[in-house]
């Protein structure tokens, strides 16, 4: 007869001794990759448990994927610190946790005064089997009608409130950075004086959307 597994007990938190950090369920963490040449994995801790003696601590990790790890790959509008919250879960040893990090909402990330090494953002949930995203469409901006990439400089029209990439309005990034006001070509044609804009302001209303295509499924 097979020996029954000893019951495990849930923990509210655990201390990772090698980094001297306390981890709670719901925290986002950096985890050791199998290949040390790869960047650290990012996960949200869903559950923590230990054996009857309080040792052999395990965590249930819900993985975040980087755009290049998704079926569709990285696209132009993906930010350098963008992650997708996946439906992929694994039980891992707590010893594989190498640090804590923060995964911000897209809105809160764009309002950060400075982005640290351990700051990331998420605006999509990702189905790791089908490559589908939720939501499956996002607002678009500029003449190029692309979703907003927080790593790209944009300027805002003071009349219609749309945002534009400097290159799309025949302007260099250096020129855009020193402007105080801006009216886009459409609004200027209405007879308004063309000025130049500061790129810091509230986000425009979501009037146009970009459908996120579901890529053909392939196996890696």
């Amino acid at each position: 007869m097979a020996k029954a597994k000893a019951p495990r007990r849930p923990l509210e938190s655990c201390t990772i001794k090698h980094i001297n950090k306390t981890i709670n369920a719901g925290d986002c963490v950096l985890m050791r990759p199998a290949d040390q040449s790869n960047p650290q994995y990012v996960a949200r801790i869903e559950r923590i448990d230990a054996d009857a003696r309080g040792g052999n601590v395990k965590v249930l990790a819900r993985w975040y994927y980087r755009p290049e790890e998704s079926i569709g790959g990285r696209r132009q509008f993906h930010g350098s610190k963008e992650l997708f919250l996946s439906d992929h879960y694994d039980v891992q040893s707590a010893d594989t946790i190498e640090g804590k990090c923060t995964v911000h909402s897209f809105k809160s990330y764009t309002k950060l005064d400075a982005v640290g090494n351990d700051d990331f953002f998420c605006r999509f949930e990702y189905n790791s089997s089908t490559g589908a995203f939720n939501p499956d469409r996002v607002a678009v901006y500029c003449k190029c009608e692309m979703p907003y990439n927080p790593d790209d400089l944009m300027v805002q029209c003071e009349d219609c409130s749309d945002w534009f990439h400097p290159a799309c309005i025949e302007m260099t990034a250096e020129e855009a950075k020193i402007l105080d006001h801006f009216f886009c070509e459409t609004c200027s044609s209405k007879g308004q004086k063309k000025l130049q804009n500061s790129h810091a302001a509230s986000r425009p209303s979501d009037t146009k959307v970009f459908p996120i295509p579901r890529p053909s499924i392939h196996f890696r």
Side-chain angles (χ1 to χ4, degrees):
M1 180 181 293
K3 186 178 180 180
K5 290 185 178 180
R8 298 181 64 82
R9 59 187 181 88
L11 302 177
E12 293 184 0
S13 63
C14 66
T15 299
I16 310 300
K17 293 182 179 178
H18 62 275
I19 59 172
N20 195 28
K21 297 284 186 182
T22 298
I23 304 299
N24 299 279
D27 285 346
C28 293
V29 298
L30 302 167
M31 303 192 78
R32 185 184 311 129
D35 184 344
Q36 293 298 304
S37 65
N38 291 332
Q40 293 167 308
Y41 299 138
V42 182
R44 190 173 75 190
I45 302 303
E46 302 292 311
R47 188 181 69 237
I48 306 170
D49 61 36
D51 61 24
R53 296 182 179 181
N56 190 23
V57 179
K58 303 282 188 181
V59 296
L60 177 63
R62 183 177 181 181
W63 299 111
Y64 284 96
Y65 279 36
R66 291 180 170 84
E68 53 269 25
E69 297 168 336
S70 67
I71 293 175
R74 178 172 288 278
R75 305 190 64 182
Q76 179 184 350
F77 62 88
H78 291 142
S80 62
K81 305 301 291 290
E82 184 157 8
L83 303 171
F84 310 143
L85 181 61
S86 79
D87 59 351
H88 179 185
Y89 296 79
D90 275 322
V91 174
Q92 298 286 313
S93 168
D95 291 336
T96 61
I97 296 174
E98 297 189 326
K100 296 178 73 171
C101 62
T102 303
V103 180
H104 302 268
S105 69
F106 181 75
K107 183 176 181 180
S108 63
Y109 180 84
T110 60
K111 293 181 178 180
L112 292 178
D113 293 329
V115 177
N117 290 335
D118 297 333
D119 286 312
F120 301 91
F121 75 89
C122 177
R123 57 179 155 178
F124 298 109
E125 291 190 12
Y126 174 69
N127 186 308
S128 58
S129 298
T130 66
F133 290 90
N134 181 31
D136 62 359
R137 58 193 61 224
V138 289
V140 297
Y141 308 101
C142 190
K143 296 163 66 174
C144 63
E145 295 195 345
M146 289 296 293
Y148 180 58
N149 181 339
D151 295 327
D152 288 344
L153 175 68
M154 300 186 79
V155 295
Q156 187 183 35
C157 174
E158 294 188 7
D159 188 17
C160 67
S161 297
D162 201 357
W163 290 76
F164 297 84
H165 301 104
C168 293
I169 52 175
E170 299 181 354
M171 185 183 298
T172 67
E174 290 70 24
E175 290 171 332
K177 289 177 182 178
I178 62 174
L179 302 178
D180 294 321
H181 303 279
F182 169 72
F183 290 99
C184 69
E185 183 178 1
T186 300
C187 294
S188 296
S189 67
K190 297 175 183 177
Q192 298 187 13
K193 183 179 180 182
K194 186 173 182 178
L195 301 172
Q196 303 163 70
N197 167 66
S198 130
H199 53 274
S202 59
R203 300 300 311 151
S205 58
D206 297 345
T207 55
K208 296 178 287 185
V209 296
F210 177 86
I212 308 299
R214 180 178 298 186
S216 300
I217 299 174
H218 65 275
F219 296 94
R220 293 177 289 176

